[in-house]
Amino acid sequence: MTFQSFLAAAPTRLDPLQLFLDADIVVQAVIVGLVIASIWSWAIIVSFWLRMAGVKRRANSFEADFMEAEDPHSLLGEKNRRTNASARVAAAGIAELRASSDKGRVRDKAGAAQRVSMAMEGQVAEEADNLSARLNFLATTGSVAPFVGLFGTVWGIMNSFFQIGAQENSSLAVVAPGISEALFATAIGLFAAIPAVIAYNRFSARVNAFEARLHRFADRVSGQIGRELEGG
Protein backbone atom coordinates (compact mmCIF):
# COMPACT_ATOMS: atom_id res chain seq x y z
CA MET A 1 0.00 0.00 0.00
CA THR A 2 1.40 3.36 -1.01
CA PHE A 3 1.30 6.44 1.17
CA GLN A 4 -1.33 8.02 -1.09
CA SER A 5 -3.58 4.95 -0.98
CA PHE A 6 -3.21 4.81 2.83
CA LEU A 7 -4.37 8.40 3.12
CA ALA A 8 -7.30 7.67 0.82
CA ALA A 9 -8.36 4.67 2.93
CA ALA A 10 -7.80 6.37 6.29
CA PRO A 11 -10.88 7.38 8.31
CA THR A 12 -11.85 11.03 8.19
CA ARG A 13 -12.36 11.29 11.96
CA LEU A 14 -11.09 9.63 15.12
CA ASP A 15 -13.11 6.59 16.19
CA PRO A 16 -12.23 5.62 19.78
CA LEU A 17 -14.30 2.44 19.67
CA GLN A 18 -12.55 1.25 16.51
CA LEU A 19 -9.18 2.08 18.01
CA PHE A 20 -10.06 -0.07 21.01
CA LEU A 21 -11.31 -2.97 18.89
CA ASP A 22 -8.20 -2.92 16.71
CA ALA A 23 -5.80 -2.69 19.66
CA ASP A 24 -3.61 -5.48 20.97
CA ILE A 25 -5.15 -7.53 23.82
CA VAL A 26 -2.71 -6.03 26.34
CA VAL A 27 -3.60 -2.49 25.27
CA GLN A 28 -7.29 -3.41 25.46
CA ALA A 29 -6.83 -4.69 29.01
CA VAL A 30 -5.08 -1.45 29.97
CA ILE A 31 -7.87 0.66 28.48
CA VAL A 32 -10.61 -1.38 30.19
CA GLY A 33 -8.87 -1.04 33.54
CA LEU A 34 -8.49 2.70 33.12
CA VAL A 35 -12.12 3.14 32.08
CA ILE A 36 -13.27 1.20 35.16
CA ALA A 37 -11.02 3.34 37.36
CA SER A 38 -12.45 6.49 35.75
CA ILE A 39 -16.05 5.36 36.30
CA TRP A 40 -15.32 4.49 39.93
CA SER A 41 -13.59 7.85 40.42
CA TRP A 42 -16.62 9.72 39.11
CA ALA A 43 -18.89 7.66 41.39
CA ILE A 44 -16.73 8.72 44.35
CA ILE A 45 -16.71 12.34 43.18
CA VAL A 46 -20.51 12.55 42.92
CA SER A 47 -21.20 10.63 46.14
CA PHE A 48 -18.63 12.64 48.12
CA TRP A 49 -20.00 15.95 46.84
CA LEU A 50 -23.52 14.96 47.93
CA ARG A 51 -22.28 13.57 51.25
CA MET A 52 -20.24 16.66 52.07
CA ALA A 53 -23.17 18.94 51.32
CA GLY A 54 -25.37 16.94 53.71
CA VAL A 55 -22.69 16.82 56.42
CA LYS A 56 -22.24 20.60 56.36
CA ARG A 57 -25.98 21.26 56.32
CA ARG A 58 -26.62 19.03 59.34
CA ALA A 59 -23.62 20.49 61.19
CA ASN A 60 -24.88 24.04 60.63
CA SER A 61 -28.28 23.20 62.06
CA PHE A 62 -26.99 21.24 65.05
CA GLU A 63 -24.28 23.70 66.09
CA ALA A 64 -26.69 26.63 66.06
CA ASP A 65 -29.23 24.72 68.15
CA PHE A 66 -26.63 23.31 70.54
CA MET A 67 -25.06 26.63 71.45
CA GLU A 68 -28.45 28.27 72.03
CA ALA A 69 -30.22 25.40 73.81
CA GLU A 70 -30.96 25.64 77.53
CA ASP A 71 -30.36 21.89 77.80
CA PRO A 72 -27.77 20.94 75.15
CA HIS A 73 -27.74 17.33 76.40
CA SER A 74 -31.25 16.86 75.00
CA LEU A 75 -29.87 17.30 71.48
CA LEU A 76 -27.47 14.37 71.80
CA GLY A 77 -29.98 11.65 71.03
CA GLU A 78 -29.21 8.52 69.03
CA LYS A 79 -30.47 10.00 65.76
CA ASN A 80 -28.25 13.06 65.97
CA ARG A 81 -25.19 11.04 66.98
CA ARG A 82 -25.75 8.67 64.07
CA THR A 83 -26.16 11.34 61.38
CA ASN A 84 -24.28 14.40 62.62
CA ALA A 85 -20.52 14.82 62.98
CA SER A 86 -20.87 17.81 65.30
CA ALA A 87 -23.21 15.85 67.55
CA ARG A 88 -20.68 13.05 67.83
CA VAL A 89 -17.96 15.54 68.77
CA ALA A 90 -20.13 17.09 71.49
CA ALA A 91 -21.26 13.65 72.68
CA ALA A 92 -17.63 12.55 73.08
CA GLY A 93 -17.01 15.53 75.36
CA ILE A 94 -20.17 14.94 77.41
CA ALA A 95 -19.37 11.24 77.75
CA GLU A 96 -15.89 12.04 79.07
CA LEU A 97 -17.36 14.57 81.50
CA ARG A 98 -19.75 11.96 82.86
CA ALA A 99 -16.91 9.44 83.13
CA SER A 100 -14.93 11.99 85.15
CA SER A 101 -17.83 12.61 87.54
CA ASP A 102 -18.43 10.80 90.79
CA LYS A 103 -22.14 10.89 91.63
CA GLY A 104 -22.52 14.10 89.70
CA ARG A 105 -19.49 15.79 91.25
CA VAL A 106 -16.17 16.46 89.52
CA ARG A 107 -13.26 16.43 91.95
CA ASP A 108 -10.45 17.34 89.55
CA LYS A 109 -12.07 20.06 87.47
CA ALA A 110 -8.92 21.09 85.60
CA GLY A 111 -8.09 17.49 84.73
CA ALA A 112 -11.69 16.79 83.69
CA ALA A 113 -11.72 19.83 81.40
CA GLN A 114 -8.50 18.68 79.78
CA ARG A 115 -9.80 15.15 79.26
CA VAL A 116 -13.03 16.49 77.78
CA SER A 117 -11.04 18.60 75.33
CA MET A 118 -8.86 15.65 74.38
CA ALA A 119 -11.89 13.41 73.84
CA MET A 120 -13.46 15.89 71.45
CA GLU A 121 -10.20 16.45 69.60
CA GLY A 122 -9.90 12.71 69.11
CA GLN A 123 -13.45 12.56 67.76
CA VAL A 124 -12.72 15.43 65.37
CA ALA A 125 -9.73 13.51 63.98
CA GLU A 126 -11.90 10.40 63.57
CA GLU A 127 -14.57 12.37 61.69
CA ALA A 128 -11.95 13.79 59.32
CA ASP A 129 -10.50 10.32 58.72
CA ASN A 130 -13.94 8.91 57.95
CA LEU A 131 -14.68 11.67 55.48
CA SER A 132 -11.37 11.37 53.64
CA ALA A 133 -11.18 7.56 53.57
CA ARG A 134 -12.56 7.12 50.04
CA LEU A 135 -10.47 9.98 48.68
CA ASN A 136 -7.42 7.72 48.74
CA PHE A 137 -8.72 6.03 45.59
CA LEU A 138 -8.80 9.38 43.80
CA ALA A 139 -5.21 10.06 44.85
CA THR A 140 -4.14 6.61 43.66
CA THR A 141 -5.93 6.99 40.34
CA GLY A 142 -4.49 10.44 39.77
CA SER A 143 -0.92 9.29 40.37
CA VAL A 144 -1.02 5.81 38.80
CA ALA A 145 -3.37 6.13 35.81
CA PRO A 146 -0.94 8.09 33.58
CA PHE A 147 1.74 5.44 34.10
CA VAL A 148 -0.69 2.63 33.37
CA GLY A 149 -1.66 4.44 30.18
CA LEU A 150 2.03 4.88 29.38
CA PHE A 151 2.54 1.15 29.78
CA GLY A 152 -0.17 0.58 27.17
CA THR A 153 1.53 3.14 24.93
CA VAL A 154 4.92 1.46 25.24
CA TRP A 155 3.40 -1.93 24.54
CA GLY A 156 1.57 -0.64 21.48
CA ILE A 157 4.71 0.97 20.08
CA MET A 158 6.67 -2.23 20.70
CA ASN A 159 3.96 -4.09 18.79
CA SER A 160 4.27 -1.60 15.92
CA PHE A 161 8.01 -2.22 15.69
CA PHE A 162 7.31 -5.95 15.74
CA GLN A 163 4.97 -5.52 12.77
CA ILE A 164 7.65 -3.58 10.95
CA GLY A 165 10.07 -6.45 11.44
CA ALA A 166 7.51 -9.14 10.60
CA GLN A 167 6.37 -7.46 7.39
CA GLU A 168 9.76 -5.98 6.55
CA ASN A 169 7.97 -2.79 5.78
CA SER A 170 8.39 0.53 7.62
CA SER A 171 5.71 2.44 5.74
CA LEU A 172 3.21 4.62 7.57
CA ALA A 173 0.46 2.14 6.75
CA VAL A 174 2.19 -0.46 8.91
CA VAL A 175 3.25 1.79 11.79
CA ALA A 176 0.32 4.22 12.13
CA PRO A 177 -2.40 1.87 13.49
CA GLY A 178 -0.26 0.55 16.33
CA ILE A 179 0.95 4.01 17.28
CA SER A 180 -2.63 5.34 17.26
CA GLU A 181 -3.76 2.54 19.56
CA ALA A 182 -0.79 3.16 21.81
CA LEU A 183 -1.43 6.88 22.11
CA PHE A 184 -5.11 6.15 22.76
CA ALA A 185 -4.07 4.29 25.92
CA THR A 186 -2.16 7.36 27.11
CA ALA A 187 -5.19 9.56 26.39
CA ILE A 188 -7.44 7.29 28.45
CA GLY A 189 -4.90 7.36 31.28
CA LEU A 190 -4.99 11.15 31.32
CA PHE A 191 -8.78 11.11 31.03
CA ALA A 192 -8.92 9.02 34.22
CA ALA A 193 -6.18 10.91 36.08
CA ILE A 194 -7.02 14.58 35.51
CA PRO A 195 -10.53 14.62 37.10
CA ALA A 196 -9.28 12.42 39.95
CA VAL A 197 -6.42 14.81 40.77
CA ILE A 198 -8.64 17.90 40.58
CA ALA A 199 -11.34 16.29 42.73
CA TYR A 200 -8.84 14.97 45.28
CA ASN A 201 -7.26 18.39 45.76
CA ARG A 202 -10.62 20.12 45.98
CA PHE A 203 -12.20 17.59 48.34
CA SER A 204 -9.10 17.39 50.55
CA ALA A 205 -9.34 21.14 51.03
CA ARG A 206 -13.02 20.81 51.94
CA VAL A 207 -12.28 18.05 54.45
CA ASN A 208 -9.53 20.17 56.01
CA ALA A 209 -11.88 23.13 56.22
CA PHE A 210 -14.58 21.02 57.84
CA GLU A 211 -12.06 19.56 60.29
CA ALA A 212 -11.01 23.08 61.27
CA ARG A 213 -14.67 23.96 61.73
CA LEU A 214 -15.16 20.96 64.04
CA HIS A 215 -12.09 22.03 66.01
CA ARG A 216 -13.65 25.46 66.53
CA PHE A 217 -16.93 23.89 67.60
CA ALA A 218 -15.08 21.58 70.01
CA ASP A 219 -13.31 24.61 71.48
CA ARG A 220 -16.65 26.35 72.07
CA VAL A 221 -18.13 23.26 73.71
CA SER A 222 -15.00 22.83 75.81
CA GLY A 223 -15.24 26.44 76.92
CA GLN A 224 -18.89 26.03 77.82
CA ILE A 225 -18.15 22.89 79.84
CA GLY A 226 -15.25 24.66 81.54
CA ARG A 227 -17.53 27.48 82.64
CA GLU A 228 -20.05 24.98 83.99
CA LEU A 229 -17.29 23.25 85.97
CA GLU A 230 -16.08 26.55 87.41
CA GLY A 231 -19.61 27.55 88.29
CA GLY A 232 -20.22 24.15 89.91
Side-chain angles (χ1 to χ4, degrees), residues 69-174:
E70 294 183 2
D71 182 17
H73 297 190
S74 63
L75 299 176
L76 300 178
E78 177 64 25
K79 181 179 179 181
N80 274 340
R81 293 199 307 271
R82 186 176 65 252
T83 61
N84 199 304
S86 296
R88 289 190 290 271
V89 171
I94 299 299
E96 181 57 40
L97 179 63
R98 289 173 178 170
S100 300
S101 302
D102 182 14
K103 297 181 181 181
R105 296 182 60 186
V106 179
R107 299 185 183 278
D108 182 7
K109 296 181 179 180
Q114 184 177 7
R115 288 191 294 272
V116 166
S117 179
M118 291 175 61
M120 288 191 291
E121 292 298 316
Q123 186 63 40
V124 168
E126 183 175 341
E127 296 298 330
D129 289 343
N130 289 338
L131 281 174
S132 60
R134 298 183 67 187
L135 298 184
N136 291 334
F137 184 82
L138 296 180
T140 301
T141 300
S143 60
V144 172
F147 295 101
V148 175
L150 182 61
F151 169 76
T153 297
V154 172
W155 186 273
I157 292 175
M158 288 170 57
N159 189 52
S160 296
F161 280 112
F162 175 79
Q163 295 298 327
I164 291 174
Q167 300 184 28
E168 298 182 354
N169 187 348
S170 60
S171 69
L172 188 59
V174 174

Side-chain angles (χ1 to χ4, degrees), residues 1-228:
M1 178 183 290
T2 64
F3 180 71
Q4 289 78 9
S5 60
F6 167 74
L7 291 178
T12 57
R13 63 183 178 85
L14 186 65
D15 187 348
L17 179 59
Q18 193 60 45
L19 284 175
F20 172 77
L21 294 176
D22 293 340
D24 181 83
I25 185 63
V26 175
V27 179
Q28 288 182 341
V30 168
I31 292 174
V32 169
L34 290 171
V35 169
I36 292 174
S38 179
I39 293 173
W40 186 243
S41 294
W42 277 105
I44 292 175
I45 290 170
V46 173
S47 64
F48 186 89
W49 183 79
L50 294 174
R51 180 186 181 189
M52 201 67 199
V55 165
K56 292 180 65 176
R57 183 176 62 252
R58 290 189 294 270
N60 286 336
S61 175
F62 175 83
E63 291 177 17
D65 294 340
F66 185 86
M67 300 309 297
E68 296 176 1
E70 294 183 2
D71 182 17
H73 297 190
S74 63
L75 299 176
L76 300 178
E78 177 64 25
K79 181 179 179 181
N80 274 340
R81 293 199 307 271
R82 186 176 65 252
T83 61
N84 199 304
S86 296
R88 289 190 290 271
V89 171
I94 299 299
E96 181 57 40
L97 179 63
R98 289 173 178 170
S100 300
S101 302
D102 182 14
K103 297 181 181 181
R105 296 182 60 186
V106 179
R107 299 185 183 278
D108 182 7
K109 296 181 179 180
Q114 184 177 7
R115 288 191 294 272
V116 166
S117 179
M118 291 175 61
M120 288 191 291
E121 292 298 316
Q123 186 63 40
V124 168
E126 183 175 341
E127 296 298 330
D129 289 343
N130 289 338
L131 281 174
S132 60
R134 298 183 67 187
L135 298 184
N136 291 334
F137 184 82
L138 296 180
T140 301
T141 300
S143 60
V144 172
F147 295 101
V148 175
L150 182 61
F151 169 76
T153 297
V154 172
W155 186 273
I157 292 175
M158 288 170 57
N159 189 52
S160 296
F161 280 112
F162 175 79
Q163 295 298 327
I164 291 174
Q167 300 184 28
E168 298 182 354
N169 187 348
S170 60
S171 69
L172 188 59
V174 174
V175 178
I179 293 179
S180 298
E181 299 155 10
L183 294 177
F184 184 54
T186 296
I188 295 297
L190 295 174
F191 176 79
I194 292 174
V197 170
I198 294 173
Y200 176 77
N201 291 335
R202 176 60 178 166
F203 290 156
S204 293
R206 294 185 67 179
V207 169
N208 291 337
F210 187 72
E211 182 180 10
R213 176 224 182 104
L214 289 180
H215 279 299
R216 292 191 295 270
F217 175 67
D219 289 341
R220 293 199 300 272
V221 175
S222 182
Q224 183 173 338
I225 291 175
R227 287 191 294 272
E228 291 178 0

